[in-house]
Amino acid sequence: MKVLANDGIATSGVVALEKAGFEVILKTVAQEQLINFINEKELDVLLVRSATEVRKDLIDACPSLKIIGRGGVGMDNIDVEYAKSKGIKVINTPAASSHSVAELVFAHLFGMVRFLHDSNQNMPLEGDIKFKELKKAYAKGIELKGKTIGILGFGRIGQATAKVALGVGMKVVAFDPFIDSAHIELKFYDGQTVNFTIDTISKENVLEQADFISLHVPAQDGYVISTSEFNMMKKGAGIVNAARGGVIDEVALIKAIKDGIISNAALDVFENEPSPEIQLLMNKNISLTPHIGAATKEAQNRIGEELATQIISILE
Ligand SMILES: NC(=O)c1ccc[n+]([C@@H]2O[C@H](COP(=O)([O-])OP(=O)(O)OC[C@H]3O[C@@H](n4cnc5c(N)ncnc54)[C@H](O)[C@@H]3O)[C@@H](O)[C@H]2O)c1
C-alpha cells in the first residue's frame, strides 16, 4: 500500500505507517502533476493539509485512491461528498489541535493584559533610553485569575479553552446554539482530576458578563461579532479570534477599540488572509499571529499518529 503525504506529515505518522507495512512518499507534487503521479505510482492514500486541492477531476482520474486524508480540521480543499459517493473514505483529525489553539488563546490573553505585544516592540527600540517611561506605560496590567471568559462556540476548541481558563482560575461562561451543557474534566500531572459541568447561556448574557471573549465557531454566513455585539460587551473587554477570519467584523473591531469598548484584541485569523488589513496590523491594541493556532509540534505529532491509526484500521 502506498501513501503520498503531499503537504507533509509528522515523523510519528510516517513511523506508524511504515511499521504497518505502508510505503510513505514524502514529496510535494505540484497540483498540475498530481493526477499523473498518483496514477503512475498507483497510490492508495493521498494525505493533504490545506495546500493541495482534491477536486472532482482528480477523484475521477485516480481510480487507485481508497483514502483521502486531511491533517487538521477544515476540508474546504477536498470535494468530500463527491469522494464519498465514489467509495473513497475521507478522514481528518478534528481533535488533534484543540489544545494547541487553546494555549495560543491564552498566550495572547496573558500577553494582552500585560501589554507584552507592545512592550516587545518598544523595548528593543527604546528600552535602554526610555526604560522608566516604558515601565510607566505598561504599569497598569491586570490578572486573568478571577476574571470571566466568555466562550462563543463550545465545541472541541471552545471546551479545550475552558479547561485552560479553569486551570488559570477564571470563571467560564459559554454560548453554543447546539450544545446545552458540557462536562469538562481537568486532568493534573499527578493523576488527580477535577470535574466541571458548564451549562451554556444566551449569547447576550455571555457578552454582558465576560471580561474576555474568545471565539471558537466555524466559518459562517455573516459576522458572529459586529457593532451590535460590541455594544453589548463590558466596557474595556478583551476579545480573541483564533477561529476563522470573517467571524469578527474587523471594521467594527477597529471602531470598538477606538471607542474604548474593547481595550485589547488578539487575532490569529483574518478576513483577508494572507494579506490582513494594515489598520489591524498597525493597531497597538491588537496582539497578532499569522494563523498558527494548530501549529505546534505536539499537534502535528497527534495529527500524524491519528491519520496513521485511521488508515491502518480502514485498510487492514
Ligand atoms: N487558529 C487556528 O489555527 C485554528 C486551528 C484549528 C481550528 N480552528 C478553527 O476553530 C473553530 C472551532 O473549531 P472546533 O474544532 O472547536 O469546531 P467544533 O465543530 O468542535 O465546534 C464549533 C462549535 O461552534 C458552535 N457554533 C456554530 N455556530 C455558532 C454561533 N454562531 N455561535 C456560537 N456557537 C456556534 C457549534 O455548535 C460547535 O459546537 C473552527 O472555525 C476552526 O476552523 C482554527
Side-chain angles (χ1 to χ4, degrees), residues 159-180:
Q159 292 182 33
T161 302
K163 284 188 189 177
V164 182
L166 292 165
V168 168
M170 300 182 84
K171 178 178 172 183
V172 175
V173 292
F175 164 67
D176 191 306
F178 301 104
I179 295 177
D180 293 333

Side-chain angles (χ1 to χ4, degrees), residues 29-230:
V29 181
Q31 189 73 49
E32 58 280 9
Q33 288 154 15
L34 197 52
I35 292 177
N36 277 346
F37 188 86
I38 293 170
N39 287 334
E40 265 170 34
K41 301 266 178 196
E42 293 185 7
L43 298 178
D44 302 282
V45 182
L46 173 62
L47 298 180
V48 301
R49 288 183 183 158
S50 55
T52 304
E53 300 262 323
V54 190
R55 298 295 172 205
K56 284 179 186 167
D57 59 331
L58 185 147
I59 294 164
D60 282 336
C62 300
S64 64
L65 278 185
K66 298 179 184 68
I67 299 178
I68 297 165
R70 157 75 159 106
V73 188
M75 300 219 269
D76 319 350
N77 52 326
I78 303 171
D79 282 336
V80 176
E81 291 312 318
Y82 190 72
K84 285 184 183 166
S85 76
K86 297 284 164 183
I88 298 174
K89 296 259 192 249
V90 184
I91 57 173
N92 68 347
T93 58
S97 56
S98 301
H99 183 72
S100 297
V101 180
E103 283 202 11
L104 184 73
V105 169
F106 272 83
H108 278 297
L109 285 173
F110 275 119
M112 267 160 58
V113 294
R114 305 303 289 269
F115 318 105
L116 296 193
H117 54 293
D118 203 44
S119 175
N120 276 328
Q121 289 194 16
N122 287 324
M123 282 298 282
L125 297 175
E126 303 180 308
D128 52 349
I129 46 168
K130 289 195 176 169
F131 192 91
K132 284 188 177 169
E133 287 92 328
L134 292 175
K135 182 172 174 168
K136 200 171 164 200
Y138 304 131
K140 293 200 172 126
I142 57 168
E143 295 178 352
L144 294 179
K145 186 177 178 187
K147 303 296 186 304
T148 299
I149 187 167
I151 297 177
L152 299 178
F154 212 36
R156 288 175 293 256
I157 300 175
Q159 292 182 33
T161 302
K163 284 188 189 177
V164 182
L166 292 165
V168 168
M170 300 182 84
K171 178 178 172 183
V172 175
V173 292
F175 164 67
D176 191 306
F178 301 104
I179 295 177
D180 293 333
S181 180
H183 175 75
I184 308 276
E185 185 183 53
L186 298 195
K187 287 186 187 160
F188 293 89
Y189 72 97
D190 60 356
Q192 290 188 69
T193 56
V194 179
N195 292 288
F196 291 80
T197 299
I198 297 177
D199 297 329
T200 56
I201 56 175
S202 72
K203 183 176 175 182
E204 291 70 24
N205 282 342
V206 168
L207 296 174
E208 283 163 15
Q209 289 180 30
D211 300 297
F212 303 93
I213 295 285
S214 193
L215 286 130
H216 300 289
V217 298
Q220 46 206 275
D221 298 336
Y223 296 118
V224 176
I225 298 286
S226 188
T227 307
S228 57
E229 286 80 13
F230 282 123

Side-chain angles (χ1 to χ4, degrees), residues 247-268:
V247 299
I248 290 187
D249 178 346
E250 292 173 350
V251 174
L253 171 64
I254 298 281
K255 186 167 185 309
I257 293 173
K258 199 162 158 262
D259 294 347
I261 299 172
I262 293 295
S263 60
N264 283 299
L267 299 174
D268 184 49

Side-chain angles (χ1 to χ4, degrees), residues 285-298:
N285 294 96
I286 306 182
S287 175
L288 299 155
T289 43
H291 205 151
I292 55 165
T296 64
K297 289 178 183 166
E298 290 84 353

